[in-house]
Amino acid sequence: MKAKTFNRSIQILIVTMLVIMAFFRGPHSQWLIIGAVGIWALFLLTTFAITGSKSIKEKIAKLIANRPKRPKRKAKTVIVPEIADPPEKILLRHVNCRITDKLKSAYPDATWEWCEETPVKLAAKGGTGRIKTAETGEYNYADVTIDQYARIKFNMMKIVSLDDAVASEGAAAPAKTEAEPVVDVEVWYDLMGRDVLQELITELNAHGHSFLIIKEPGEICVMDGEGNETKLEELENLPKKKWWSVLAKVFCDNGLKTSVEEDRIILSW
């Protein structure tokens, strides 16, 4: 509040009090004087509040105006790398890597190539296509199936010309070398076990059997009511006994009840 306003209000208050004392006597003059002082005090408080709030607002405005401005941050530009190859080709490359991994799990030195003219369509839409393999034991081809869930399954096969087949009839079978131990049991089941077991189980179930026996060398047998065992088929490269616990889980995942004993695996359905 300005000093000039305050001095003027004092002068008005004094003049008012003199007028009251001159024209009014008794207790009425005291109440009038108290009222005049109260009005004067209220006027001072109101004036001080108004001028004080204006002063505070002015100071805040000055602080905001004098605040150093932050430099504007430049928006970061995100560079999206351009993919030169189309998505179908990238998907085919991914499928090729998965096929290679599965083959090398069973045959470490395996190589392969597509026999299909448009393997891109197979990778994108699924289906069955043929590949030619090398360093895969007695097999030289495989049918690769990609199902609707993008799972890859193999059917290994051996294709020879008629002349080679006739010539091989008279030739002595070469001695079999000991197979490398199978590390990926699930791949072994996809490549060598699934088709043999599914065909046998379908046939046995039709004849009333509810279980079969797999012995350590890979022999598949059934047992009659008198406890006699009959050999039906032989699984190639059956994983050794140390892998049977893992193999049992693979059988269970494919809907077969499994019991592992010391020298045999019993599959029931």
Side-chain angles (χ1 to χ4, degrees):
M1 183 172 59
K2 296 181 179 180
K4 183 178 180 180
T5 304
F6 179 76
N7 294 333
R8 184 175 296 177
S9 67
I10 289 290
Q11 293 174 0
I12 294 173
L13 177 62
I14 294 172
V15 171
T16 303
M17 292 176 65
L18 292 174
V19 170
I20 292 172
M21 293 174 63
F23 292 96
F24 296 93
R25 300 290 181 176
H28 296 289
S29 63
Q30 296 177 0
W31 288 108
L32 290 173
I33 292 172
I34 292 172
V37 173
I39 293 172
W40 174 76
L42 181 63
F43 169 76
L44 290 181
L45 291 174
T46 304
T47 305
F48 179 77
I50 293 174
T51 56
S53 63
K54 288 182 179 179
S55 177
I56 292 173
K57 289 181 180 178
E58 290 175 357
K59 290 180 179 180
I60 293 174
K62 288 182 180 180
L63 289 175
I64 294 175
N66 295 331
R67 183 181 61 183
K69 295 182 179 180
R70 295 181 180 179
K72 294 183 179 180
R73 294 182 179 179
K74 295 182 179 180
K76 294 182 178 180
T77 56
V78 179
I79 301 175
V80 179
E82 296 184 359
I83 301 176
D85 296 332
E88 293 82 2
K89 190 171 182 180
I90 297 174
L91 178 60
L92 177 62
R93 191 176 299 138
H94 173 69
V95 171
N96 290 345
C97 291
R98 292 180 61 193
I99 292 174
T100 301
D101 290 341
K102 278 187 172 289
L103 273 179
K104 286 187 175 294
S105 296
Y107 304 100
D109 298 327
T111 58
W112 65 278
E113 60 183 12
W114 284 106
C115 297
E116 304 292 326
E117 293 182 358
T118 56
V120 173
K121 293 182 179 179
L122 180 67
K125 299 181 179 180
T128 301
R130 181 160 296 180
I131 62 174
K132 184 177 181 181
T133 65
E135 300 297 333
T136 50
E138 62 176 325
Y139 304 107
N140 55 1
Y141 286 87
D143 280 345
V144 179
T145 301
I146 304 174
D147 63 15
Q148 58 181 343
Y149 303 107
R151 294 177 299 192
I152 297 179
K153 298 179 181 179
F154 285 80
N155 286 324
M156 302 299 293
M157 62 182 65
K158 180 179 180 180
I159 300 177
V160 297
S161 65
L162 179 61
D163 293 338
D164 293 339
V166 172
S168 64
E169 289 292 331
K176 292 184 178 180
T177 58
E178 185 178 354
E180 292 291 331
V182 178
V183 175
D184 195 327
V185 177
E186 186 174 356
V187 172
W188 172 86
Y189 179 75
D190 286 339
L191 296 180
M192 302 179 183
R194 184 191 301 274
D195 292 340
V196 176
L197 289 174
Q198 286 182 349
E199 184 177 353
L200 278 177
I201 289 172
T202 301
E203 186 68 23
L204 291 173
N205 187 60
H207 287 82
H209 293 277
S210 60
F211 70 94
L212 58 80
I213 301 169
I214 302 176
K215 293 187 176 182
E216 186 173 1
E219 295 180 353
I220 303 176
C221 306
V222 292
M223 185 180 296
D224 57 22
E226 298 179 357
N228 299 319
E229 295 181 357
T230 303
K231 178 181 176 182
L232 300 178
E233 187 64 79
E234 184 171 349
L235 290 171
E236 184 180 355
N237 293 335
L238 178 71
K240 296 186 181 297
K241 290 175 65 175
K242 65 179 181 179
W243 300 103
W244 281 9
S245 59
V246 182
L247 184 59
K249 185 178 183 303
V250 174
F251 288 146
C252 290
D253 292 343
N254 285 271
L256 298 173
K257 298 178 182 179
T258 309
S259 176
V260 179
E261 298 183 356
E262 183 177 357
D263 62 342
R264 62 185 61 196
I265 301 174
I266 299 175
L267 298 182
S268 56
W269 53 88

